[in-house]
Amino acid sequence: MDKKMISENGETTTADGSICGYDSLHQLLSANLKPELYQEVSRLLLGRNCGGSLEQIVLPESAKALSSKHDFDLQAVSFSADKEQMRMPRVVRVGLIQNSIAIPTTAPFSDQKRAIFDKLKPMIDAAGVAGVNILCLQEAWTMPFAFCTREKRWCEFAEPVDGESTKFLQEFARKYNMVIVSPILERDIDHGEVMWNTAVIIGNNGNIIGKHRKNHIPRVGDFNESTYYMEGDTGHPVFETVFGKIAVNICYGRHHPLNWLAFGLNGAEIVFNPSATVGGLSEPMWPIEARNAAIANSYFVGSINRVGTEVFPNPFTSGDEKPQHNDFGHFYGSSHFSAPDASCTPSLSRYKDGLMISDMDLNLCRQYKDKWGFRMTARYEVYADLLAKYIKPDFKPQVVSDPLLHKNSS
């Protein structure tokens, strides 16, 4: 395979030992397989949308120029739906932004935040001139992902829902007629200044539609975020916008199928998953969980992961027997979209900032509800009964034992 090879753990590596992402593997196979075999591999890796491959979107030269000048990955593909006789197509253009931090974590906090704003401005402009209707940023985009250092000084990055970052994004929302999902570290001024991991939904008129707070908080290795905030209290809201019904499943919530389900039961057509996750922890799960959620719940999923390695001034430990260290590992980017028909886009770079754009016909959501009948066959009452029993202290699992299992041992 020329200068690239598959390592023992399944990752694709180059001759110099650097790791390639899922999309790089796809490109590698394209270059090394016969066309007919590549088409079959592509079908298995990326699925088929309405029986065919996803089509590339031709973007304005101004968007491409911003990508070239500011060195960020730019990809754009289109999902289709079958034509219907009684409904017009409901095509919406959606964008995801992944980015690294802009300056070292040792810099003054105000400088760090401003540098991230400056870095994102041309990327948001690119989304705007490309006609993106709904744009989602990554988890805690205004700051380094410092939560698991357990140092309280990083709390200074917290801000109210109508704070500096929201005001910054409201200008773009109004300028480009664009809904923006902004995940921040929220400081709840009205309730004792407690903090939450929150996504703010900014309407296309620059108004604040609402917010959602992260439902599931990890306590895994370095990612023990309960030092800063606890599980959210906003339920599973779906936000009805002029472009469609959207929801936000923040980061660790993607590991919980019931979390995905609840957004679907509330009517979501697109669910965003803004994240901050590193290669050694979750990368094998990354292309699977969101895609499965899109299939099982008949909606589109936009998966966003930050990119780069963030090094902190003071070493920390994680309680998992690893020696103290100054970083979490590499945030592997790889942002992408998944559709209810099991098709998905290639991913953005594993190493670079990037903007992923997709046109999606929301009619596909109902079409696949009709085709697979998952809602009709779900048997919710059976699981409601089990869950109602499970949460009680006297719950006993429904286990039927072989009567001979313990007889011989007595």
Side-chain angles (χ1 to χ4, degrees):
M1 295 181 103
D2 199 21
K3 294 184 178 180
K4 295 183 179 179
M5 62 208 80
I6 306 296
S7 65
E8 291 182 1
N9 63 2
E11 292 175 323
T12 309
T13 60
T14 61
D16 64 2
S18 61
I19 301 174
C20 301
Y22 179 78
D23 190 36
S24 297
L25 174 60
H26 193 261
Q27 294 172 11
L28 171 63
L29 294 172
S30 174
N32 288 276
L33 295 178
K34 293 180 179 179
E36 60 273 16
L37 182 55
Y38 166 71
Q39 288 297 324
E40 182 64 9
V41 171
S42 178
R43 180 182 71 84
L44 295 174
L45 284 176
L46 299 180
R48 281 288 183 265
N49 173 235
C50 294
S53 301
L54 298 179
E55 296 183 2
Q56 298 292 317
I57 298 172
V58 178
L59 294 177
E61 289 301 322
S62 54
K64 297 177 184 178
L66 286 165
S67 168
S68 177
K69 179 178 179 180
H70 298 279
D71 192 29
F72 60 85
D73 190 9
L74 177 62
Q75 298 188 39
V77 294
S78 177
F79 293 99
S80 299
D82 292 333
K83 290 184 178 180
E84 300 185 18
Q85 295 187 38
M86 299 180 67
R87 285 197 306 174
M88 295 296 292
R90 299 174 58 226
V91 179
V92 58
R93 182 163 289 189
V94 186
L96 313 174
I97 287 180
Q98 67 178 41
N99 61 276
S100 59
I101 57 175
I103 59 177
T105 60
T106 50
F109 289 173
S110 58
D111 292 350
Q112 291 188 51
K113 191 172 186 179
R114 178 50 53 188
I116 292 173
F117 283 16
D118 291 342
K119 169 180 270 205
L120 258 65
K121 186 181 185 304
M123 300 177 74
I124 300 172
D125 280 330
V129 299
V132 166
N133 303 126
I134 308 173
L135 178 68
C136 188
L137 308 183
Q138 68 192 24
E139 183 183 21
W141 69 272
T142 64
M143 61 182 291
F145 204 77
F147 304 134
C148 302
T149 66
R150 300 178 181 84
E151 295 174 353
K152 293 294 187 176
R153 64 198 187 97
W154 302 102
C155 295
E156 288 190 46
F157 280 96
E159 58 183 285
V161 164
D162 59 354
E164 182 183 8
S165 64
T166 297
K167 290 180 172 60
F168 171 73
L169 294 174
Q170 285 173 315
E171 296 182 14
F172 293 100
R174 286 188 288 263
K175 179 178 180 180
Y176 294 117
N177 190 37
M178 182 165 58
V179 172
I180 302 178
V181 180
S182 174
I184 63 169
L185 179 60
E186 177 199 356
R187 185 178 295 279
D188 188 352
I189 302 297
D190 294 333
H191 294 87
E193 298 203 17
V194 298
M195 286 176 293
W196 306 90
N197 189 320
T198 299
V200 181
I201 315 302
I202 302 169
N204 58 305
N205 294 306
N207 56 308
I208 297 175
I209 297 176
K211 66 186 176 187
H212 172 58
R213 291 166 173 164
K214 187 173 180 176
N215 277 330
H216 298 274
I217 306 302
R219 295 164 178 84
V220 181
D222 287 335
F223 292 84
N224 190 348
E225 298 167 25
S226 55
T227 301
Y228 297 86
Y229 44 77
M230 299 298 286
E231 285 76 10
D233 61 356
T234 53
H236 295 85
V238 170
F239 303 94
E240 186 173 14
T241 76
V242 67
F243 302 116
K245 294 179 179 179
I246 66 174
V248 192
N249 181 358
I250 303 174
C251 198
Y252 191 71
R254 73 182 178 278
H255 304 310
H256 297 271
L258 290 177
N259 202 38
W260 290 111
L261 171 66
F263 292 117
L265 294 180
N266 281 329
E269 296 170 309
I270 308 169
V271 179
F272 295 100
N273 179 226
S275 300
T277 184
V278 296
L281 181 68
S282 69
E283 197 162 10
M285 307 176 190
W286 184 247
I288 298 171
E289 289 174 314
R291 193 175 182 184
N292 182 68
I295 297 166
N297 298 289
S298 303
Y299 51 49
F300 289 92
V301 174
S303 303
I304 314 101
N305 184 28
R306 68 171 55 206
V307 66
T309 302
E310 300 175 6
V311 180
F312 295 92
N314 301 316
F316 50 88
T317 58
S318 58
D320 57 3
E321 299 183 359
K322 293 181 181 178
Q324 63 179 8
H325 43 283
N326 291 76
D327 67 83
F328 300 119
H330 178 69
F331 295 104
Y332 52 82
S334 305
S335 302
H336 63 282
F337 287 103
S338 304
D341 65 355
S343 61
C344 64
T345 68
S347 61
L348 288 176
S349 170
R350 197 175 186 275
Y351 298 100
K352 290 178 64 175
D353 297 344
L355 169 61
M356 170 67 76
I357 296 174
S358 175
D359 284 351
M360 50 186 68
D361 187 341
L362 299 183
N363 283 352
L364 193 66
C365 300
R366 182 196 286 180
Q367 290 174 11
Y368 269 78
K369 288 176 184 176
D370 291 349
K371 179 171 183 175
W372 286 105
F374 289 153
R375 294 289 173 84
M376 181 170 57
T377 59
R379 304 291 311 279
Y380 295 120
E381 71 283 358
V382 174
Y383 300 100
D385 181 63
L386 173 62
L387 291 171
K389 293 176 180 176
Y390 181 78
I391 62 175
K392 294 180 180 178
D394 60 351
F395 171 75
K396 298 296 181 184
Q398 185 181 3
V399 178
V400 180
S401 297
D402 182 343
L404 300 180
L405 185 62
H406 304 293
K407 185 175 182 181
N408 293 334
S409 60
S410 60

